[in-house]
Amino acid sequence: LDDTAMFERFVLPRFASLSLPQQTQACAQIKRNWGVIKERPSLVDSLKTTPFVCMHGNLLRADQLLDPQNKLLSSIFGGDPMFPTAPFASDEWLVILRHLGLQSNIDADLFLLCARRVHRSFAAARTSGSPVLTNETLENAGALVKHLIACFSALQSSVFCGAVADIAFVPVEMPVSLDLPEGSPLWNA
């Protein structure tokens, strides 16, 4: 057995029970031997299902994190602990984590998560009594709408459309009062 096979057989299955220094060594071994590891499908599959990225004292899988280099994701979730932190935020680690499932592309599920986050930003502005939404929230909503339009064919399904229709993530200002002439079709609406 070579070092990588030993790692796959003996270290990775017990990763969560290793001490912090041992986990750090194991991660260094992943990074150092990535060229060999990525050519072993069974090991890559094991790494995809193993929580080994330490975030705020918790071990997470790569697919539970967002890519900080995706501008839309980093803008919408900028203050949230959803991005790899040091040492996993380095360019070298990000390449590895993307291969292991780091969420870089906005699929239907991730789009819905983004829309809910933007909706919460709107709700927070309303709750605080602020009549003006922040530029950042408006920009995020606009960028999300642009993404929806550009990628609709990849996102659309009846489940997705039903779910996104229930999320208020597009800013709309309603007039305080409507001065409609009597008999207008909207009068009885």
Side-chain angles (χ1 to χ4, degrees), residues 51-120:
F52 72 90
V53 180
C54 188
M55 291 274 302
H56 311 289
N58 297 311
L59 293 176
L60 301 173
R61 297 183 317 270
D63 68 346
Q64 294 176 296
L65 300 169
L66 303 178
D67 190 338
Q69 292 182 347
N70 180 304
K71 290 179 183 178
L72 183 56
L73 294 175
S74 62
S75 179
I76 290 174
F77 296 105
D80 296 346
M82 301 180 76
F83 300 97
T85 57
F88 298 100
S90 71
D91 288 341
E92 191 175 2
W93 265 115
L94 289 175
V95 168
I96 295 167
L97 294 176
R98 282 186 197 107
H99 198 90
L100 299 175
L102 181 68
Q103 296 186 59
S104 300
N105 298 317
I106 301 174
D107 62 8
D109 291 334
L110 189 50
F111 185 93
L112 293 172
L113 189 65
C114 290
R116 287 183 190 102
R117 179 66 178 94
V118 170
H119 170 75
R120 281 194 305 277

Side-chain angles (χ1 to χ4, degrees), residues 5 9 11 42 51 54 59 68 88 95 107 115 118 120 124 127 135 139 162 172 181 187-188:
R9 189 165 182 189
V11 176
S42 65
C54 188
L59 293 176
F88 298 100
V95 168
D107 62 8
V118 170
R120 281 194 305 277
T127 302
N135 284 340
E139 287 172 10
V172 177
W187 184 262
N188 296 320

Side-chain angles (χ1 to χ4, degrees), residues 107 161 169 184:
D107 62 8
C161 291
F169 70 95
S184 166

